[in-house]
Each structure stands twice: as C-alpha cells, then as structure tokens.
Amino acid sequence: MAEELKVIVFGLGNEEYGIEVDKVKTIERMSPITRVPKTPSFIKGVINLRGIVVPVLNLSGRFNLPETEITEHTRIIVVAVNDMEVGFIVDAANDVIDIDTDTINSPPEIVGGIQAKYLDGIAKIGEDRLLIMLNLSEVLNRSELVQLEQLEV
C-alpha cells in the first residue's frame, strides 16, 4: 500500500521542487536580510523572524544555479532540520500537494545541474509534470551547519 506524502511545491529557475510539509515551519515574504561576513556566497545572512534569528540561504546559489532576481513572488521557506531553523530563498512557493510515494524514483546523478546527493528523488505527477524532491539533510550538510549554527549565536 503506497503512502501519501504531503509536500510544498516551490519554484527555482525553470524547475519545480518539493519539501515535505512536516519539515516546513513557515513560508514568508521576502524581508530584509542582514549580511554576515566570512560566509559562503549562498548564505545570504540572517533575518529576524518574530524574535528568532534565522540563517537564510539562496537555494539557487547553493546548487550553483544562476541566481534569479527577487520579485513579489519570491519567498523564504523556513525549514526545521537537525534542531535548527533555516530559511531558503525560492522564486515562488506555489502549492501544497499529496504525492503517492510509489511515484518517487531515485534521482539520476545530475538533475538540472544539481548533484544527486541533494535530492531524495523525482516524483512524477500526472502525465508531464516532474517534481524534484530535496534531501534537506544533504542540502544543509555538516560543514555548512557548523557555519549556520555560529550565525544563530
């Protein structure tokens, strides 16, 4: 019996990605980001989210994709990973959908320039829609987590 997985769909460049709903804390409009020196370029800085300092990454930069310009559709998706909250800048957060876990296939080595280690799989939705499922613990791997934890202090 296949399980249903509820995911938030967001756009990055020309692709659609998914993150499991239970890992998402909140989706926010773009807000001013305080830059933090001596961090990788994809770590944009921190935001104050209702009194909590949250590090913010640009996912396009994280995946070495061209960064898109910020528009009224740009969102910060705040996720909880390994007991910390991190915001991802995405082009748009479009939808919440249910995916049948049977429709998720293992990712090829590289998808749209993104290494497979960052991906949980590719979900086929309907006839011609593919959703790239992110592996959040790899997107935020240990060495970057150390830098992000220092930002929270």
Side-chain angles (χ1 to χ4, degrees):
M1 180 79 188
E3 285 182 45
E4 289 271 299
L5 192 61
K6 196 173 275 301
V7 298
I8 292 194
V9 177
F10 65 90
L12 207 56
N14 299 326
E15 305 293 340
E16 285 188 307
Y17 295 82
I19 299 177
E20 294 167 45
V21 165
D22 61 1
K23 293 189 168 92
V24 176
K25 296 286 263 199
T26 178
I27 299 174
E28 302 289 327
R29 291 185 174 278
M30 201 57 191
S31 59
I33 297 173
T34 304
R35 190 85 180 105
V36 178
K38 297 187 177 143
T39 56
S41 62
F42 65 85
I43 298 178
K44 290 303 175 193
V46 294
I47 57 172
N48 181 340
L49 191 61
R50 294 179 273 290
I52 298 169
V53 175
V54 177
V56 176
L57 308 182
N58 187 319
L59 266 189
S60 296
R62 177 70 180 100
F63 296 148
N64 294 321
L65 300 172
E67 287 190 24
T68 52
E69 70 182 72
I70 291 169
T71 69
E72 64 186 41
H73 301 292
T74 303
R75 294 291 181 266
I76 297 175
I77 298 179
V78 179
V79 297
V81 182
N82 303 334
D83 297 331
M84 63 182 283
E85 292 183 14
V86 179
F88 293 136
I89 298 172
V90 300
D91 295 343
N94 307 327
D95 218 349
V96 176
I97 60 173
D98 291 317
I99 294 180
D100 191 329
T101 52
D102 286 352
T103 65
I104 301 174
N105 299 308
S106 339
E109 276 310 300
I110 292 190
V111 177
I114 300 173
Q115 297 173 10
K117 70 177 183 175
Y118 297 133
L119 309 176
D120 263 346
I122 309 285
K124 188 170 193 255
I125 301 162
E127 286 302 306
D128 55 2
R129 189 174 174 197
L130 293 177
L131 190 64
I132 301 168
M133 300 296 296
L134 287 188
N135 176 343
L136 287 183
S137 50
E138 264 310 321
V139 171
L140 298 168
N141 73 26
R142 288 265 173 256
S143 61
E144 280 124 31
L145 283 176
V146 169
Q147 284 186 313
L148 290 174
E149 283 167 357
Q150 291 166 352
L151 295 181
E152 290 188 323
V153 178

